Amino acid sequence: MMTIPSSPSDSELLRRIEAGEEDAFVALYRQRSGGVYRFALQMSGSESIAEDVTQEVFMVLMRDAGKFDPTRGSLAAYLYGIARNHVLRMLARDRAFVPFAEEDGGENSAHELITAQDDPLGDLTRRETIERVRDAVLALPPHYREVVVLCEMHEMNYADAAATLNCAVGTIRSRLHRGRAMLIEKLRAREEPKPDAREIKTARCFA
Amino acid sequence: MNCQLFETVVIDLARSSVTDAAARESGLNHAETCAKCATRLAGERALTIGLRSVAANVETNVPSPRLEAALLAAFREQKEVSAPQANLYALTPRTSRRQVYAIAAAVVVAVFVGLIGINVLRSSRSHHVEQAGNAGSTKKPLTSGLAPESAERVPTMQEVATINRGDEDEVEDRLPPRTIRRTGRDSSRGGGARQSNTGVQMLPVSRGASANMNEEDIGDVATEFLPLIGEDSFNSADGAQVVRVEMPRLALASFGLPVNTDVAGGRVKADVVLGHDGVARAIRFVR
């Protein structure tokens, strides 16, 4: 009978990382870095920030692997929590700066659709839709954005999201509800044609 | 289900995350009958699809390989740095324990050697005193006019009577200085000095025999005892005891001793022999 080697648990990997085993660190990094990176990317819209955040998260894990408490949540929630704090810090820091044009180009390249090449119009439509949703998400206030990213894009359950953001499950539900409503409003506003600037506006006459 | 209740489950319906099958069925049934709620559910489903499309769009996005390489380098560096520390932490307690054991052993040995030394010193001194006492009793009989070596032994009247009255210094000159061995309770245990009504300060009583000697006691120099009352009365003083007192130097004059006027205001020490009735029988001056 064939036995399938089971992958080591998070706790086992963390224990081995604490012991200085490089293989364990590599294994954990390859398991978790993609999610952390994408979360940071969806939160910030910037690849450079996402890379910085990912690096910070795993540096923290490298230094203080023993700080993770499995009774308070999953390792993913723990890592996302660290990433979220770094993202918010970097967004606050970079708020005063204007992004370079190259970064926009980079973002576009990062968000290229992986689709069949035989339907260019369909791809274009889909790409435009994704861009619109992505921009709408990035335009959300951070408190709503992080819940939408975690629960919708990373399909995290409410309990893990609550552990990640260090708040109650009810708060997650209400923020998700409000965030989705805001997204729908934004997307509908883009779909609806803007009123003509030359349209005659009525005004109350006070004379 | 009404529209208000539908609003509470519409997001979960759109996300297909309703765990209660009955609530899900009820919500979907309501959406079929209510156009407004159906539109609302369709909008939420579209949003869910859009969000998941965005997520799928970046699904292949991963950090660059150089980030992994940099983190690995940092991990190795930290490992190298922490390894000597770990060895240090592992060795330090052992080293400390060894040092503690060595210090403790040295202290024990030092205390043991010290105790042995003290015992040897004490035994040699006792031997010396015993030898001196034996020599005094054989070579210097009590009637020879010399005071007994031991202060706890109350001198007889014959001893006291043989003392020539005169200057204290002259007495000291004539008689070889002797070491007084005051035994028994020390000053601290005797309650300290007491001041009598006559200005005589009562120092701790020295009575009884003991082998213990204080170093400060060894250095005292005394005259012979001077009788204060009749010889017969003194002989009957079997339960007498010696009391160390301090008195004004002028009191020397009352014993017919000259007083140095330069230090007349000072005080002198004296040993007073008290009978069992509390009456002073004899006195000697101590320096």
Side-chain angles (χ1 to χ4, degrees):
Chain A
M1 185 175 172
M2 241 180 95
T3 56
I4 301 170
S6 59
S7 59
S9 65
D10 292 336
S11 300
E12 173 68 14
L13 286 175
L14 286 174
R15 190 190 60 76
R16 288 170 54 192
I17 288 172
E18 272 193 295
E21 289 188 29
E22 188 178 310
D23 294 344
F25 181 75
V26 172
L28 192 66
Y29 175 82
R30 289 180 181 169
Q31 278 181 19
R32 304 290 180 183
S33 63
V36 171
Y37 175 81
R38 287 189 288 275
F39 170 75
L41 179 63
Q42 288 155 354
M43 280 293 292
S44 66
S46 163
E47 284 183 344
S48 62
I49 287 180
E51 287 231 344
D52 289 347
V53 167
T54 306
Q55 178 174 327
E56 288 297 323
V57 168
F58 282 92
M59 287 297 287
V60 169
L61 191 68
M62 192 188 303
R63 284 193 301 263
D64 301 312
K67 280 189 177 177
F68 167 65
D69 182 5
T71 62
R72 297 182 62 184
S74 64
L75 178 63
Y78 177 68
L79 297 178
Y80 282 134
I82 301 171
R84 173 242 191 181
N85 292 336
H86 280 95
V87 166
L88 294 180
R89 199 173 302 148
M90 288 184 179
L91 288 178
R93 186 193 65 189
D94 293 349
R95 199 167 289 160
F97 297 94
V98 178
F100 288 111
E102 301 92 84
E103 188 163 32
D104 290 335
E107 296 301 314
N108 290 333
S109 64
H111 292 283
E112 283 179 0
L113 298 173
I114 305 171
T115 55
Q117 298 298 318
D118 54 353
D119 187 9
L121 288 178
D123 288 348
L124 184 61
T125 304
R126 190 179 173 195
R127 179 175 175 173
E128 286 175 351
T129 302
I130 288 172
E131 288 297 321
R132 282 208 313 271
V133 173
R134 188 182 69 93
D135 291 345
V137 170
L138 286 173
L140 285 174
H143 280 85
Y144 298 110
R145 192 191 320 160
E146 60 194 11
V147 176
V148 168
V149 168
L150 286 175
C151 294
E152 299 293 351
M153 299 183 177
H154 291 257
E155 301 184 20
M156 189 179 277
N157 61 44
Y158 294 154
D160 277 350
T164 300
L165 304 179
N166 197 23
C167 61
V169 172
T171 306
I172 297 294
R173 292 182 75 97
S174 64
R175 284 184 185 173
L176 180 63
H177 195 276
R178 177 65 184 144
R180 286 180 65 106
M182 291 168 76
L183 281 175
I184 290 173
E185 285 175 15
K186 289 178 187 292
L187 291 171
R188 280 184 183 158
R190 288 197 175 191
E191 287 174 359
E192 290 172 0
K194 293 180 182 177
D196 190 354
R198 291 172 294 178
E199 184 181 354
I200 297 171
K201 294 182 180 177
T202 58
R204 181 175 290 177
C205 179
F206 293 98
Chain B
M1 180 176 282
N2 57 24
C3 295
Q4 192 174 359
L5 284 175
F6 179 81
E7 188 62 28
T8 61
V9 297
V10 64
I11 293 176
D12 290 334
L13 282 174
R15 301 175 70 228
S16 303
S17 60
V18 179
T19 55
D20 186 358
R24 182 176 180 277
E25 191 68 24
S26 176
L28 291 176
N29 289 338
H30 176 76
E32 288 178 0
T33 57
C34 177
K36 183 184 170 188
C37 290
T39 307
R40 174 91 170 91
L41 179 59
E44 292 290 346
R45 278 180 172 161
L47 178 62
T48 300
I49 291 169
L51 289 169
R52 289 182 181 170
S53 299
V54 173
N57 190 33
V58 297
E59 193 62 33
T60 55
N61 283 31
V62 290
S64 63
R66 61 183 166 82
L67 178 60
E68 182 179 343
L71 283 168
L72 262 180
F75 186 82
R76 286 172 189 149
E77 186 179 349
Q78 183 189 339
K79 190 176 162 185
E80 288 172 3
V81 170
S82 61
Q85 286 180 351
N87 291 335
L88 182 65
Y89 293 145
L91 287 174
T92 300
R94 288 179 197 161
T95 309
S96 302
R97 266 184 248 124
R98 284 178 188 167
Q99 288 175 348
V100 168
Y101 291 151
I103 290 170
V107 167
V108 168
V109 169
V111 168
F112 187 68
V113 169
L115 287 174
I116 291 174
I118 288 171
N119 283 334
V120 168
L121 183 63
R122 279 182 179 172
S123 61
S124 66
R125 281 179 180 170
S126 300
H127 184 64
H128 175 68
V129 170
E130 285 174 5
Q131 281 183 339
N134 293 335
S137 62
T138 55
K139 295 180 181 178
K140 298 175 184 174
L142 291 173
T143 54
S144 66
L146 294 174
E149 292 295 328
S150 177
E152 64 269 14
R153 192 181 73 80
V154 178
T156 62
M157 196 59 194
Q158 288 82 2
E159 295 173 47
V160 175
T162 54
I163 305 299
N164 295 325
R165 291 172 181 262
D167 191 349
E168 182 185 354
D169 295 334
E170 289 177 8
V171 172
E172 290 177 1
D173 291 340
R174 281 203 307 268
L175 300 175
R178 294 175 297 108
T179 299
I180 299 173
R181 199 177 90 186
R182 285 189 292 129
T183 58
R185 297 181 184 91
D186 57 16
S187 60
S188 61
R189 270 194 250 168
R194 290 178 292 150
Q195 189 77 30
S196 71
N197 293 334
T198 59
V200 177
Q201 189 176 8
M202 306 293 287
L203 295 177
V205 175
S206 58
R207 61 188 301 184
S210 172
N212 296 330
M213 280 193 304
N214 294 327
E215 290 184 2
E216 62 176 4
D217 296 337
I218 297 172
D220 289 349
V221 177
T223 66
E224 293 296 340
F225 280 95
L226 306 174
L228 298 175
I229 57 173
E231 184 179 342
D232 296 338
S233 174
F234 188 74
N235 284 333
S236 62
D238 295 330
Q241 58 182 335
V242 178
V243 179
R244 171 67 56 85
V245 298
E246 270 190 3
M247 59 181 64
R249 185 173 289 274
L250 288 174
L252 290 170
S254 63
F255 296 100
L257 301 175
V259 178
N260 186 353
T261 54
D262 294 336
V263 289
R267 302 178 73 83
V268 293
K269 287 182 183 177
D271 285 341
V272 177
V273 180
L274 298 175
H276 67 284
D277 53 359
V279 178
R281 299 295 201 281
I283 188 170
R284 70 179 179 186
F285 294 95
V286 181
R287 188 174 61 188

